[in-house]
Amino acid sequence: MAELAPYAASPERSRGRRHREDAPEGRTEFQRDRDRIIHSSAFRRLEYKTQVFVNHEGDLFRTRLTHSIEVAQIGRSIARNLNLNEDLVEAIALAHDLGHTPFGHAGQDALNECMKAHGGFEHNLQSLRVVDILEERYGAFDGLNLCFETREGILKHCSAKNAELLGDVGERFLKKQQPNLEAQLANLADEIAYNNHDVDDGLRSGLITLDELASVPIFSRHIEMARSHFPDISGRRMIHETIRRMINSQVVDLIVQSSSNIASSNPGNMEDVRSSPALIAFSPQMREEQHELKHFLRTRLYQHYKVTRMSAKAKRIISDLFTAFTQDPRLLPSQFQEKTDSDLMRVTADYIAGMTDRYAIREHRRIFAVEEITL
Ligand code: MG
């Protein structure tokens, strides 16, 4: 493997863990972070949490688990090209969605609404809370005790008010600085992954069509290329030939633009990276094309009435559960009841946020359906 760039994150120069631990054997500190994330319970739950389509709508739609793996794949490819730390990018990518509620953004909006008077709910902050506090796996500390650089990458955005409460990882929001380049990269790899797989899943669901997508320049350009290479193919094969070209064009654009940003800014180390503007970036033209694609997905897919119906149901499930537990904490499972002395609202939010889609649906039934037998 090529040598890491001087501005890449390096395990030797890490700002370390919150609780001191002996150095790992046979792997680096960032590999150890990645391994801890993969072995966490929150990571396994990603398999049954969705972003747009709920699990029972079909087996082939992305889940948060397959999404996170795609983000890690795209992130690692780009990191290798830019001589950045692949292990750190992978760790951040695999952890970035750990704090998501069931039912994607509809679930988060509902939980945030429930928590409005109690500090709110934000999935980014929750991802950090999962790795810092909620995972119970070690005798010596709560959470996974990850390195600063991984934690900073997980906390993609954050209000000034919350930043003040977060200590070291909150600092950059107050100083208006950038995170390490691996964190910047994982963030954009996330965008590449979801924009493209939402096109794929949207077509698979039948809620959007190839004809409609013809109005989106980045899609029409690449489907034309695919057609000229393979005039005789159609259906799934044509969709895939188009989407793989779209992903590749965004990956290559990000590598070229970021290399040029790094060359002109010429950071000597990670501190220079923090005080520069964001160096990992798409070209202005690709940015524009992504805006058009996002706009299409928002208006045609995320706001499609069938998606909206599912979102409305999801919001009802989340707010019903929240109301039931906070009005009568005795309904909570005992391990959560034990913690409610500290803060009933936050403990309830943690419990609900940790649920998978299907667990939340079942829990709602167990509590509200009178004909339900298993409690
Ligand atoms: Mg994501």
Short mmCIF file of all heavy atoms in Angstrom, two decimals, residues 249-291:
data_model
loop_
_atom_site.label_atom_id
_atom_site.label_comp_id
_atom_site.label_asym_id
_atom_site.label_seq_id
_atom_site.Cartn_x
_atom_site.Cartn_y
_atom_site.Cartn_z
N SER A 249 -18.64 8.02 -12.13
CA SER A 249 -18.36 9.41 -12.50
C SER A 249 -18.25 10.29 -11.26
O SER A 249 -17.43 11.20 -11.20
CB SER A 249 -19.43 9.94 -13.46
OG SER A 249 -20.64 10.18 -12.76
N GLN A 250 -19.05 9.99 -10.24
CA GLN A 250 -18.99 10.80 -9.01
C GLN A 250 -17.72 10.49 -8.21
O GLN A 250 -17.12 11.40 -7.64
CB GLN A 250 -20.25 10.56 -8.17
CG GLN A 250 -21.47 11.18 -8.83
CD GLN A 250 -22.78 10.65 -8.29
OE1 GLN A 250 -23.10 10.87 -7.12
NE2 GLN A 250 -23.53 9.97 -9.11
N VAL A 251 -17.35 9.21 -8.20
CA VAL A 251 -16.11 8.83 -7.49
C VAL A 251 -14.91 9.50 -8.16
O VAL A 251 -14.07 10.12 -7.49
CB VAL A 251 -15.96 7.30 -7.48
CG1 VAL A 251 -14.55 6.87 -7.11
CG2 VAL A 251 -16.98 6.66 -6.53
N VAL A 252 -14.85 9.41 -9.50
CA VAL A 252 -13.70 9.98 -10.21
C VAL A 252 -13.69 11.51 -10.04
O VAL A 252 -12.64 12.12 -9.78
CB VAL A 252 -13.72 9.58 -11.71
CG1 VAL A 252 -12.68 10.36 -12.50
CG2 VAL A 252 -13.51 8.08 -11.86
N ASP A 253 -14.85 12.13 -10.14
CA ASP A 253 -14.95 13.59 -9.97
C ASP A 253 -14.43 13.99 -8.58
O ASP A 253 -13.68 14.97 -8.45
CB ASP A 253 -16.40 14.03 -10.14
CG ASP A 253 -16.55 15.55 -10.01
OD1 ASP A 253 -16.43 16.24 -11.03
OD2 ASP A 253 -16.77 16.03 -8.88
N LEU A 254 -14.83 13.25 -7.58
CA LEU A 254 -14.42 13.58 -6.20
C LEU A 254 -12.91 13.44 -6.04
O LEU A 254 -12.26 14.28 -5.40
CB LEU A 254 -15.16 12.68 -5.20
CG LEU A 254 -15.10 13.11 -3.74
CD1 LEU A 254 -15.77 14.44 -3.53
CD2 LEU A 254 -15.77 12.06 -2.85
N ILE A 255 -12.34 12.40 -6.66
CA ILE A 255 -10.89 12.20 -6.57
C ILE A 255 -10.15 13.35 -7.25
O ILE A 255 -9.22 13.94 -6.70
CB ILE A 255 -10.48 10.84 -7.20
CG1 ILE A 255 -11.04 9.68 -6.37
CG2 ILE A 255 -8.96 10.73 -7.32
CD1 ILE A 255 -10.92 8.31 -7.04
N VAL A 256 -10.60 13.69 -8.47
CA VAL A 256 -9.89 14.71 -9.25
C VAL A 256 -10.00 16.08 -8.56
O VAL A 256 -9.00 16.78 -8.35
CB VAL A 256 -10.47 14.78 -10.69
CG1 VAL A 256 -9.93 15.99 -11.45
CG2 VAL A 256 -10.16 13.49 -11.44
N GLN A 257 -11.23 16.45 -8.17
CA GLN A 257 -11.42 17.76 -7.55
C GLN A 257 -10.70 17.85 -6.20
O GLN A 257 -10.06 18.86 -5.90
CB GLN A 257 -12.93 18.03 -7.37
CG GLN A 257 -13.23 19.42 -6.82
CD GLN A 257 -12.84 20.54 -7.78
OE1 GLN A 257 -13.13 20.47 -8.98
NE2 GLN A 257 -12.15 21.55 -7.28
N SER A 258 -10.78 16.80 -5.40
CA SER A 258 -10.14 16.83 -4.08
C SER A 258 -8.62 16.88 -4.21
O SER A 258 -7.95 17.60 -3.47
CB SER A 258 -10.55 15.62 -3.25
OG SER A 258 -11.95 15.54 -3.15
N SER A 259 -8.07 16.12 -5.18
CA SER A 259 -6.61 16.15 -5.39
C SER A 259 -6.18 17.56 -5.74
O SER A 259 -5.16 18.05 -5.25
CB SER A 259 -6.19 15.25 -6.56
OG SER A 259 -6.56 13.95 -6.31
N SER A 260 -6.98 18.22 -6.59
CA SER A 260 -6.59 19.57 -6.98
C SER A 260 -6.74 20.55 -5.81
O SER A 260 -5.89 21.42 -5.61
CB SER A 260 -7.37 19.97 -8.24
OG SER A 260 -7.98 21.20 -8.10
N ASN A 261 -7.79 20.37 -4.99
CA ASN A 261 -7.94 21.23 -3.80
C ASN A 261 -6.76 21.03 -2.85
O ASN A 261 -6.23 21.99 -2.28
CB ASN A 261 -9.22 20.87 -3.04
CG ASN A 261 -10.47 21.22 -3.81
OD1 ASN A 261 -10.41 21.91 -4.82
ND2 ASN A 261 -11.61 20.74 -3.33
N ILE A 262 -6.36 19.77 -2.67
CA ILE A 262 -5.26 19.47 -1.74
C ILE A 262 -3.97 20.06 -2.29
O ILE A 262 -3.20 20.68 -1.56
CB ILE A 262 -5.13 17.94 -1.52
CG1 ILE A 262 -6.34 17.44 -0.71
CG2 ILE A 262 -3.84 17.60 -0.79
CD1 ILE A 262 -6.48 15.91 -0.63
N ALA A 263 -3.76 19.93 -3.62
CA ALA A 263 -2.53 20.46 -4.22
C ALA A 263 -2.46 21.98 -4.05
O ALA A 263 -1.40 22.52 -3.71
CB ALA A 263 -2.46 20.07 -5.70
N SER A 264 -3.58 22.68 -4.25
CA SER A 264 -3.47 24.13 -4.14
C SER A 264 -3.43 24.61 -2.69
O SER A 264 -2.80 25.62 -2.39
CB SER A 264 -4.55 24.85 -4.96
OG SER A 264 -5.81 24.37 -4.60
N SER A 265 -4.06 23.90 -1.80
CA SER A 265 -4.03 24.32 -0.40
C SER A 265 -2.75 23.84 0.30
O SER A 265 -2.26 24.46 1.23
CB SER A 265 -5.27 23.78 0.30
OG SER A 265 -5.14 23.83 1.67
N ASN A 266 -2.23 22.71 -0.21
CA ASN A 266 -0.96 22.15 0.25
C ASN A 266 -0.83 22.02 1.78
O ASN A 266 0.11 22.54 2.38
CB ASN A 266 0.20 23.00 -0.32
CG ASN A 266 1.53 22.28 -0.21
OD1 ASN A 266 1.55 21.05 -0.10
ND2 ASN A 266 2.62 23.03 -0.18
N PRO A 267 -1.75 21.33 2.42
CA PRO A 267 -1.66 21.19 3.88
C PRO A 267 -0.47 20.32 4.28
O PRO A 267 -0.18 19.32 3.63
CB PRO A 267 -2.98 20.48 4.25
CG PRO A 267 -3.39 19.76 3.00
CD PRO A 267 -2.85 20.54 1.83
N GLY A 268 0.25 20.73 5.32
CA GLY A 268 1.43 19.97 5.75
C GLY A 268 1.06 18.90 6.76
O GLY A 268 1.78 17.93 6.95
N ASN A 269 -0.07 19.08 7.42
CA ASN A 269 -0.49 18.12 8.44
C ASN A 269 -2.00 18.28 8.69
O ASN A 269 -2.66 19.07 8.04
CB ASN A 269 0.30 18.35 9.74
CG ASN A 269 0.18 19.79 10.19
OD1 ASN A 269 -0.89 20.39 10.10
ND2 ASN A 269 1.27 20.36 10.65
N MET A 270 -2.48 17.52 9.68
CA MET A 270 -3.93 17.55 9.90
C MET A 270 -4.42 18.88 10.47
O MET A 270 -5.55 19.26 10.25
CB MET A 270 -4.35 16.39 10.80
CG MET A 270 -5.81 16.04 10.56
SD MET A 270 -6.47 15.06 11.87
CE MET A 270 -5.88 13.47 11.38
N GLU A 271 -3.54 19.58 11.17
CA GLU A 271 -3.97 20.89 11.70
C GLU A 271 -4.23 21.87 10.57
O GLU A 271 -5.17 22.67 10.62
CB GLU A 271 -2.93 21.45 12.69
CG GLU A 271 -2.92 20.73 14.04
CD GLU A 271 -4.33 20.37 14.55
OE1 GLU A 271 -5.16 21.30 14.72
OE2 GLU A 271 -4.62 19.17 14.74
N ASP A 272 -3.41 21.79 9.51
CA ASP A 272 -3.64 22.65 8.33
C ASP A 272 -4.98 22.29 7.69
O ASP A 272 -5.71 23.17 7.22
CB ASP A 272 -2.54 22.46 7.28
CG ASP A 272 -1.18 22.96 7.78
OD1 ASP A 272 -1.16 23.70 8.79
OD2 ASP A 272 -0.16 22.60 7.17
N VAL A 273 -5.29 20.99 7.67
CA VAL A 273 -6.56 20.53 7.09
C VAL A 273 -7.74 21.16 7.84
O VAL A 273 -8.69 21.63 7.25
CB VAL A 273 -6.67 18.99 7.19
CG1 VAL A 273 -8.09 18.51 6.97
CG2 VAL A 273 -5.71 18.32 6.20
N ARG A 274 -7.62 21.19 9.17
CA ARG A 274 -8.72 21.70 9.99
C ARG A 274 -9.00 23.18 9.73
O ARG A 274 -10.15 23.61 9.74
CB ARG A 274 -8.40 21.53 11.48
CG ARG A 274 -8.36 20.09 11.90
CD ARG A 274 -8.09 19.96 13.39
NE ARG A 274 -7.87 18.56 13.72
CZ ARG A 274 -8.83 17.65 13.75
NH1 ARG A 274 -10.06 18.01 13.51
NH2 ARG A 274 -8.55 16.40 14.03
N SER A 275 -7.95 23.94 9.49
CA SER A 275 -8.17 25.37 9.30
C SER A 275 -8.40 25.76 7.84
O SER A 275 -8.71 26.91 7.54
CB SER A 275 -7.01 26.17 9.91
OG SER A 275 -5.80 25.61 9.50
N SER A 276 -8.28 24.80 6.91
CA SER A 276 -8.59 25.08 5.49
C SER A 276 -10.09 24.93 5.27
O SER A 276 -10.77 24.32 6.08
CB SER A 276 -7.90 24.08 4.57
OG SER A 276 -6.54 23.97 4.84
N PRO A 277 -10.59 25.47 4.12
CA PRO A 277 -11.97 25.11 3.78
C PRO A 277 -12.04 23.62 3.48
O PRO A 277 -11.00 22.96 3.36
CB PRO A 277 -12.25 25.95 2.51
CG PRO A 277 -10.94 26.47 2.05
CD PRO A 277 -9.95 26.35 3.16
N ALA A 278 -13.25 23.06 3.34
CA ALA A 278 -13.37 21.62 3.06
C ALA A 278 -12.60 21.28 1.79
O ALA A 278 -12.81 21.89 0.74
CB ALA A 278 -14.84 21.26 2.90
N LEU A 279 -11.66 20.33 1.89
CA LEU A 279 -10.82 20.00 0.74
C LEU A 279 -11.38 18.82 -0.06
O LEU A 279 -11.09 18.66 -1.24
CB LEU A 279 -9.39 19.68 1.20
CG LEU A 279 -8.66 20.85 1.87
CD1 LEU A 279 -7.29 20.41 2.39
CD2 LEU A 279 -8.51 22.02 0.90
N ILE A 280 -12.14 17.96 0.60
CA ILE A 280 -12.74 16.85 -0.13
C ILE A 280 -14.07 17.37 -0.68
O ILE A 280 -14.98 17.71 0.08
CB ILE A 280 -12.99 15.64 0.80
CG1 ILE A 280 -11.70 15.23 1.52
CG2 ILE A 280 -13.58 14.47 0.02
CD1 ILE A 280 -10.58 14.74 0.61
N ALA A 281 -14.13 17.48 -1.99
CA ALA A 281 -15.31 18.13 -2.58
C ALA A 281 -15.51 17.68 -4.02
O ALA A 281 -14.57 17.25 -4.70
CB ALA A 281 -15.14 19.65 -2.54
N PHE A 282 -16.76 17.79 -4.49
CA PHE A 282 -17.06 17.56 -5.90
C PHE A 282 -16.74 18.82 -6.69
O PHE A 282 -16.67 19.93 -6.13
CB PHE A 282 -18.55 17.25 -6.07
CG PHE A 282 -18.97 15.94 -5.47
CD1 PHE A 282 -19.73 15.92 -4.30
CD2 PHE A 282 -18.61 14.74 -6.05
CE1 PHE A 282 -20.12 14.72 -3.73
CE2 PHE A 282 -19.00 13.52 -5.48
CZ PHE A 282 -19.75 13.51 -4.32
N SER A 283 -16.61 18.68 -8.02
CA SER A 283 -16.46 19.86 -8.87
C SER A 283 -17.79 20.62 -8.85
O SER A 283 -18.84 20.03 -8.56
CB SER A 283 -16.14 19.42 -10.30
OG SER A 283 -17.26 18.73 -10.84
N PRO A 284 -17.77 21.93 -9.16
CA PRO A 284 -19.02 22.69 -9.17
C PRO A 284 -20.07 22.07 -10.11
O PRO A 284 -21.26 22.03 -9.78
CB PRO A 284 -18.60 24.08 -9.66
CG PRO A 284 -17.14 24.18 -9.30
CD PRO A 284 -16.59 22.78 -9.40
N GLN A 285 -19.62 21.55 -11.23
CA GLN A 285 -20.58 20.96 -12.18
C GLN A 285 -21.23 19.70 -11.59
O GLN A 285 -22.44 19.50 -11.70
CB GLN A 285 -19.86 20.62 -13.49
CG GLN A 285 -20.82 20.22 -14.59
CD GLN A 285 -20.16 19.32 -15.62
OE1 GLN A 285 -18.93 19.30 -15.76
NE2 GLN A 285 -20.99 18.56 -16.34
N MET A 286 -20.44 18.87 -10.95
CA MET A 286 -20.99 17.64 -10.35
C MET A 286 -21.92 18.00 -9.18
O MET A 286 -22.95 17.36 -8.98
CB MET A 286 -19.85 16.74 -9.88
CG MET A 286 -20.30 15.40 -9.32
SD MET A 286 -21.30 14.41 -10.48
CE MET A 286 -20.02 13.70 -11.52
N ARG A 287 -21.56 19.02 -8.43
CA ARG A 287 -22.42 19.51 -7.32
C ARG A 287 -23.81 19.85 -7.87
O ARG A 287 -24.83 19.45 -7.34
CB ARG A 287 -21.80 20.79 -6.80
CG ARG A 287 -21.42 21.06 -5.38
CD ARG A 287 -22.29 20.71 -4.25
NE ARG A 287 -21.54 19.76 -3.43
CZ ARG A 287 -22.07 18.70 -2.82
NH1 ARG A 287 -23.33 18.45 -2.85
NH2 ARG A 287 -21.34 17.87 -2.15
N GLU A 288 -23.77 20.60 -8.97
CA GLU A 288 -25.03 21.04 -9.59
C GLU A 288 -25.85 19.82 -10.04
O GLU A 288 -27.05 19.73 -9.79
CB GLU A 288 -24.68 21.96 -10.78
CG GLU A 288 -25.85 22.45 -11.62
CD GLU A 288 -26.89 23.21 -10.81
OE1 GLU A 288 -26.50 23.84 -9.81
OE2 GLU A 288 -28.09 23.13 -11.17
N GLU A 289 -25.18 18.87 -10.67
CA GLU A 289 -25.90 17.67 -11.14
C GLU A 289 -26.48 16.87 -9.97
O GLU A 289 -27.55 16.29 -10.07
CB GLU A 289 -24.96 16.79 -11.97
CG GLU A 289 -24.63 17.40 -13.32
CD GLU A 289 -24.07 16.38 -14.29
OE1 GLU A 289 -23.41 15.44 -13.84
OE2 GLU A 289 -24.31 16.54 -15.50
N GLN A 290 -25.74 16.87 -8.86
CA GLN A 290 -26.25 16.15 -7.70
C GLN A 290 -27.46 16.85 -7.10
O GLN A 290 -28.39 16.20 -6.63
CB GLN A 290 -25.16 16.02 -6.64
CG GLN A 290 -24.11 15.04 -7.10
CD GLN A 290 -23.36 14.47 -5.93
OE1 GLN A 290 -23.33 15.05 -4.87
NE2 GLN A 290 -22.75 13.33 -6.13
N HIS A 291 -27.45 18.19 -7.15
CA HIS A 291 -28.61 18.95 -6.66
C HIS A 291 -29.86 18.56 -7.46
O HIS A 291 -30.93 18.36 -6.91
CB HIS A 291 -28.38 20.45 -6.77
CG HIS A 291 -27.59 21.01 -5.62
ND1 HIS A 291 -27.93 20.73 -4.31
CD2 HIS A 291 -26.49 21.81 -5.56
CE1 HIS A 291 -27.06 21.35 -3.51
NE2 HIS A 291 -26.17 21.99 -4.25
#
